[in-house]
Amino acid sequence: MAHLAFCQVRLLNGNAMKTLLQLMMPAVVLPVLLSFGAHRLGQRHRNALWTLPAIWLPSYVWLNGWPQLPSREANDWLWLVALVSTLTASLLRQRKYVMAAQIVLLVTALSAMVWPLRHLIDATMAAELLATLTAGSLSFYRPAVRTTVPALGLAVSASGLGLVASLGGSLLIGQLAVALAAVLSAFALSELSSRGGGRGMDAVFLMPLLQLYFLLLMIARIYADLAVGPAFLLLSAPLVGLLTPHRYGALGSAASASAAFAWLLITADSSSYY
Amino acid sequence: MKTLVKHSLALFTLITTLGSMPSSAETAQAGKYRIDPAHTSVLFTVSHLGFSHLTGRFNTTEGKLVLDPRGKSSVEVMIKTSSIDTNHKKRDRHLRSPDFLNARLYPVIRFTSTKVTYNDKGEPIKVLGDLTLHGVTRQVTLDVTPVGAGKDPWGGYRAGYKAHTVIKRSDYGMNFMQGGIGNDIRIDLNIEAIKQ
């Protein structure tokens, strides 16, 4: 026991501590702080809610480095998607136009990310891309409700993706997903703790964050070989939360994300070697 | 009688084997060579958290050498990125991911020489060339040590070399986990090539 304690202290010294901070700061601490700030701003200015994807961007740059221009890797497209998606959603007034624009953007982003591997596309990969597109399009199609539940559902799904991607292939994708979850969780918690229950969040504000979620999942599946079973469950996780018309939708997302995590634990070597 | 035959055969085998052993003093003949993947290894060493050094390897390598101290020489080595092996499957999978090598997008690591320098004996000692890794091409210098050359037991002619260089992974756009995993990567090549 004493030996274990010694090891822990030893591991938290020097470079190990620096590494731990490097993992935690951009993925959790920074997005949570920025999200709390955005919520306070959002109570006075409704448009401040559009800043949620922008809050994710500093974490993205911290973790991924400055994106390459022109984009070389799938990750390099994410910042552009976040910006274009947010701009599109904030400039277009009517919900149906916002939805159409988000679907077009998802198709474009998926095509751009997979383009370098076009010679590898087979029936399986095509089916997976189609499934991602279908899930994304369905999740954009939302009735006009203002509640915190969809944000919570997506936060839970993104947390699941963070865990599964970190253990199942790419720590970077996992951290980017955790940063997304941190933004949403901090925002949802701020909402729930506000006097009078807060103003809720129009589902349309989630669209840019949903874009990022589905694209991160696709990158983890195609470029980091995330197992197909957990990937499918994670694909359905936000849908369950978003399409369930009552407040228990987030629990549905949690069930799907937990099943994905359990699948990974049972079928693959989930030990960490870091 | 039986023992005599047995001893004679053993002596014959020893003499023929010694006769075909490569000589470390022999300078490799000029000509075209093909890298023998079964007797070639590409190793790399990198710091882990500053505590220790981890060594890994790439298991699939191919390439060719053209050796000619008086003419044009060249070295070309291609390494299959997904053949990385650090004796830990999970870590190998992570190293293949977009966090590091992005093996799906960049399936080959390639070295193409631009200049080969020889010593007075006509042995290659430095190879300057372009290393393409993670989609980025940069110039590196390989320090070469000849190991041996000569006829092999099957009638062919082989030459062997050791080479090493140190690169910075940040130069190749691999910046993930810089605090924990060292930036400097030492690359060691043990090459055996068969004359064509």
Side-chain angles (χ1 to χ4, degrees):
Chain A
M1 204 60 191
H3 175 69
L4 265 178
F6 171 77
C7 285
Q8 282 166 355
V9 171
R10 179 81 180 99
L11 275 172
L12 290 177
N13 280 337
N15 284 345
M17 177 60 105
K18 196 175 157 191
T19 305
L20 196 63
L21 284 174
Q22 276 183 343
L23 293 174
M24 293 295 289
M25 283 297 286
V28 181
V29 181
L30 181 68
V32 164
L33 291 176
L34 291 176
S35 193
F36 279 134
H39 182 261
R40 287 187 72 88
L41 205 63
Q43 286 181 317
R44 274 175 284 166
H45 308 286
R46 189 173 172 275
N47 280 340
L49 293 180
W50 291 118
T51 58
L52 284 180
I55 290 168
W56 179 80
L57 283 176
S59 298
Y60 165 79
V61 172
W62 190 330
L63 291 164
N64 189 63
W66 288 104
Q68 308 272 341
L69 274 174
S71 300
R72 285 196 303 131
E73 300 184 13
N75 288 350
D76 294 333
W77 290 101
L78 292 172
W79 70 277
L80 200 58
V81 171
L83 285 181
V84 173
S85 178
T86 306
L87 275 175
T88 311
S90 56
L91 291 175
L92 296 173
R93 295 286 171 191
Q94 289 195 40
R95 179 179 297 273
K96 60 182 178 183
Y97 293 139
V98 176
M99 283 192 299
Q102 296 296 335
I103 292 169
V104 170
L105 183 62
L106 185 61
V107 173
T108 311
L110 279 174
S111 308
M113 288 176 174
V114 179
W115 182 251
L117 302 182
R118 58 195 177 279
H119 57 286
L120 296 176
I121 294 178
D122 54 10
T124 311
M125 199 193 281
E128 287 171 2
L129 289 169
L130 198 62
T132 308
L133 186 60
T134 308
S137 304
L138 281 173
S139 67
F140 297 145
Y141 180 73
R142 289 275 305 131
V145 290
R146 288 175 64 81
T147 158
T148 311
V149 173
L152 262 180
L154 186 55
V156 170
S157 307
S159 304
L161 174 59
L163 266 176
V164 171
S166 298
L167 290 173
S170 168
L171 185 58
L172 172 62
I173 303 298
Q175 281 183 289
L176 291 171
V178 168
L180 199 62
V183 169
L184 284 157
S185 304
F187 183 82
L189 285 175
S190 305
E191 273 293 291
L192 292 171
S193 60
S194 298
R195 281 183 189 174
R199 297 173 54 171
M201 186 193 214
D202 193 322
V204 81
F205 293 132
L206 282 180
M207 289 185 184
L209 300 163
L210 278 164
Q211 288 271 7
L212 293 173
Y213 176 84
F214 286 115
L215 293 175
L216 283 170
L217 178 58
M218 192 281 295
I219 296 171
R221 170 70 191 130
I222 291 179
Y223 284 94
D225 278 338
L226 181 67
V228 68
F232 180 76
L233 285 166
L234 288 168
L235 192 66
S236 62
L239 275 179
V240 175
L242 288 164
L243 300 178
T244 306
H246 54 71
R247 61 184 180 155
Y248 297 111
L251 288 177
S253 296
S256 291
S258 304
F261 186 56
W263 187 317
L264 192 78
L265 287 179
I266 292 165
T267 58
D269 173 19
S270 57
S271 62
S272 171
Y273 68 88
Y274 307 112
Chain B
M1 185 64 184
K2 218 174 181 179
T3 316
L4 185 66
V5 171
K6 206 174 172 183
H7 283 173
S8 303
L9 274 173
L11 188 64
F12 175 75
T13 308
L14 183 66
I15 289 167
T16 50
T17 307
L18 284 174
S20 62
M21 284 280 276
S23 162
S24 58
E26 185 176 333
T27 300
Q29 294 172 358
K32 288 181 183 174
Y33 290 79
R34 181 180 56 79
I35 286 176
D36 177 8
H39 298 98
T40 294
S41 51
V42 180
L43 310 172
F44 63 89
T45 307
V46 65
S47 164
H48 178 241
L49 295 173
F51 295 148
S52 64
H53 286 91
L54 174 93
T55 298
R57 56 181 290 160
F58 289 93
N59 291 328
T60 308
T61 309
E62 59 182 69
K64 53 191 178 183
L65 321 175
V66 178
L67 301 176
D68 187 357
R70 292 173 191 167
K72 199 176 176 185
S73 298
S74 66
V75 176
E76 194 172 354
V77 181
M78 281 161 291
I79 300 161
K80 191 176 174 187
T81 313
S82 60
S83 71
I84 193 166
D85 178 358
T86 62
N87 197 28
H88 195 297
K89 277 185 184 173
K90 194 170 171 60
R91 177 168 54 214
D92 296 344
R93 192 170 162 169
H94 189 202
L95 290 170
R96 287 184 202 111
S97 78
D99 300 12
F100 295 98
L101 293 165
N102 207 344
R104 269 277 171 97
L105 190 59
Y106 309 114
V108 176
I109 299 166
R110 185 187 298 269
F111 176 81
T112 308
S113 68
T114 50
K115 187 185 175 187
V116 181
T117 308
Y118 292 86
N119 61 14
D120 294 341
K121 292 182 193 170
E123 296 169 329
I125 50 165
K126 273 195 192 301
V127 179
L128 189 71
D130 295 325
L131 176 68
T132 304
L133 165 67
H134 198 244
V136 178
T137 303
R138 283 189 173 265
Q139 204 168 62
V140 297
T141 303
L142 293 175
D143 292 314
V144 182
T145 308
V147 177
K151 283 186 179 173
D152 63 28
W154 304 278
Y157 187 88
R158 291 175 182 246
Y161 300 94
K162 286 195 296 186
H164 78 268
T165 190
V166 177
I167 61 166
K168 288 192 185 299
R169 66 185 174 102
S170 57
D171 288 344
Y172 294 86
M174 286 192 287
N175 293 305
F176 192 64
M177 289 181 86
Q178 278 285 1
I181 300 167
N183 193 25
D184 288 346
I185 299 175
R186 183 187 161 104
I187 299 172
D188 285 282
L189 294 103
N190 292 298
I191 290 177
E192 188 170 304
I194 307 165
K195 195 175 178 204
Q196 300 299 289

